[in-house]
Amino acid sequence: MVDDLDEFARTVFEGQKFSAHLEAKLGPVSAGKAEISIELKEFHKQQHGFAHGGVVSYLADNSIAYAGGLAMGGNALVSEYKINYVRPGVGKTLVARAEAIAVGRSQAVCQSRVYGVAEDGTEKLCAIAQGTVVPAPDP
C-alpha cells in the first residue's frame, strides 16, 4: 500500500513517455478518483478538426487506470475497457474524470467521463468509458 497517493500518482505519470508525448496533465487525484487533461492542439485532431478518437480513448483508459490503481493502493493495469463516443471532442481542452465504482482485492471496476471544455469553461460530454483494473505484476 502506497503512503502518499498524490506523490505516487505524480511520480508514475512523470514516467509515462506517451503521456508526455501527448502533452497530458495529471489533475487532482485521490483514493479512487483521477483527472487527466489535454489542451487540444492540431496534432491531437483528425481530418474533421475533432479530437482524434485515440486521444479521447487515451484519456479514458489512463484515467481509469489511475482511479483503479489509487483505489487499490498501488501500481495497476487496465485489463479491459469499453468506450462510447457520444459527441465529437471539441473545445480548448479535453478532460477525463474517472472514479472507482467497485473495488476488491483483485480488481476495481471504474468509470470515466471525457468532456470537451470550451474557452468559457462550458463542458460537453464527449465519451463515457467503463473498465476493469487489476494490480500490476512485479516486473
Side-chain angles (χ1 to χ4, degrees):
M1 185 71 128
V2 175
D3 291 328
D4 185 338
L5 290 177
D6 188 69
E7 181 182 338
F8 172 75
R10 296 196 186 285
T11 299
V12 170
F13 199 80
E14 289 169 9
Q16 294 181 341
K17 296 190 184 337
F18 187 65
S19 293
H21 177 71
L22 291 176
E23 300 180 6
K25 299 203 177 350
L26 183 63
V29 297
S30 61
K33 292 187 178 181
E35 179 177 299
I36 301 174
S37 64
I38 290 177
E39 184 177 330
L40 283 178
K41 298 188 175 161
E42 286 305 310
F43 74 91
H44 293 121
K45 299 176 183 178
Q46 43 86 296
Q47 71 276 13
H48 300 293
F50 307 133
H52 189 282
V55 173
V56 175
S57 185
Y58 155 81
L59 286 166
D61 171 71
N62 213 18
S63 65
I64 284 171
Y66 272 86
L70 293 172
M72 293 173 24
N75 284 313
L77 300 169
V78 174
S79 63
E80 63 79 32
Y81 79 104
K82 178 213 184 301
I83 188 165
N84 289 95
Y85 299 97
V86 297
R87 78 168 39 90
V90 296
K92 178 182 179 190
T93 305
L94 290 182
V95 62
R97 294 187 190 101
E99 180 176 6
I101 305 301
V103 182
R105 285 191 323 267
S106 62
Q107 70 177 19
V109 176
C110 304
Q111 292 180 338
S112 177
R113 294 174 188 263
V114 183
Y115 299 88
V117 184
E119 291 278 348
D120 67 2
T122 304
E123 295 184 357
K124 289 192 177 180
L125 182 67
C126 62
I128 302 169
Q130 179 169 302
T132 305
V133 176
V134 298
D138 291 331

